[in-house]
Amino acid sequence: MTTILRHPRPGFTWDWWAVDAQGFLVQFSGGPAPEHLLAQVNRVDAAAAWAEENCPAWFADGPPPLHVFSCDGELPTYTRNGVPELPLRVSDAPAAIADVAALVTLRRAVGDTWTVHLDEGWIEAARPESPR
């Protein structure tokens, strides 16, 4: 089954989170996301805002401690911003982020991948949860 990808706010940056096949935290910015996240957009926004406020090192210059990808357009093609020396496992991430990241599972490990095309089978499963 193909995962439908949508952009909740075309033209605006939107950060969302996922877990790769090895359990590492992945952040995606600026492009489309799995459609089921649109129902959770307030939770996803709150997690991104919490991270910016409470984890400023994630957004500083240099490689962040998590896998970060960004999209320059509407296509579901994301480019890695850097490779973390010690990538953050979702199990070690703050609950505000881990709970949202658990909504999207990637089929593959990010590893050394510099480009991720989400429409090429990267999304394995969604585990939608009701808001708390």
Side-chain angles (χ1 to χ4, degrees), residues 5 10 26 28 31 33 38 45 47 72 82 90-91 97 104 111 117 119-120 128:
L5 301 169
V26 184
F28 292 96
L38 275 62
D45 283 350
D72 289 335
V90 74
S91 58
I97 304 301
V104 180
H117 303 272
D119 57 346
E120 293 180 358

Side-chain angles (χ1 to χ4, degrees), residues 89-122:
R89 289 202 169 273
V90 74
S91 58
D92 297 325
I97 304 301
D99 289 348
V100 170
L103 296 173
V104 180
T105 302
L106 301 181
R107 175 169 306 199
R108 305 173 222 175
V110 169
D112 305 352
T113 303
W114 281 94
T115 304
V116 170
H117 303 272
L118 292 179
D119 57 346
E120 293 180 358
W122 273 87

Side-chain angles (χ1 to χ4, degrees), residues 2-131:
T2 303
T3 299
I4 297 172
L5 301 169
R6 300 255 189 264
H7 197 305
R9 297 181 198 102
F12 294 91
T13 298
W14 189 58
D15 295 342
W16 55 281
W17 311 84
V19 182
D20 83 351
Q22 291 184 339
F24 291 112
L25 185 65
V26 184
Q27 178 183 320
F28 292 96
S29 297
E35 186 177 49
H36 75 274
L37 280 186
L38 275 62
Q40 306 288 337
V41 70
N42 291 334
R43 289 179 66 199
V44 176
D45 283 350
W50 186 93
E52 283 197 43
E53 185 175 328
N54 294 283
C55 302
W58 290 6
F59 304 95
D61 292 335
L66 64 159
H67 297 293
V68 178
F69 289 80
S70 61
C71 180
D72 289 335
E74 294 300 311
L75 295 175
T77 303
Y78 286 82
T79 304
R80 185 200 285 270
N81 298 345
V83 178
E85 292 179 17
L86 296 170
L88 186 66
R89 289 202 169 273
V90 74
S91 58
D92 297 325
I97 304 301
D99 289 348
V100 170
L103 296 173
V104 180
T105 302
L106 301 181
R107 175 169 306 199
R108 305 173 222 175
V110 169
D112 305 352
T113 303
W114 281 94
T115 304
V116 170
H117 303 272
L118 292 179
D119 57 346
E120 293 180 358
W122 273 87
I123 304 293
E124 177 180 83
R127 294 184 293 247
E129 299 172 4
S130 59

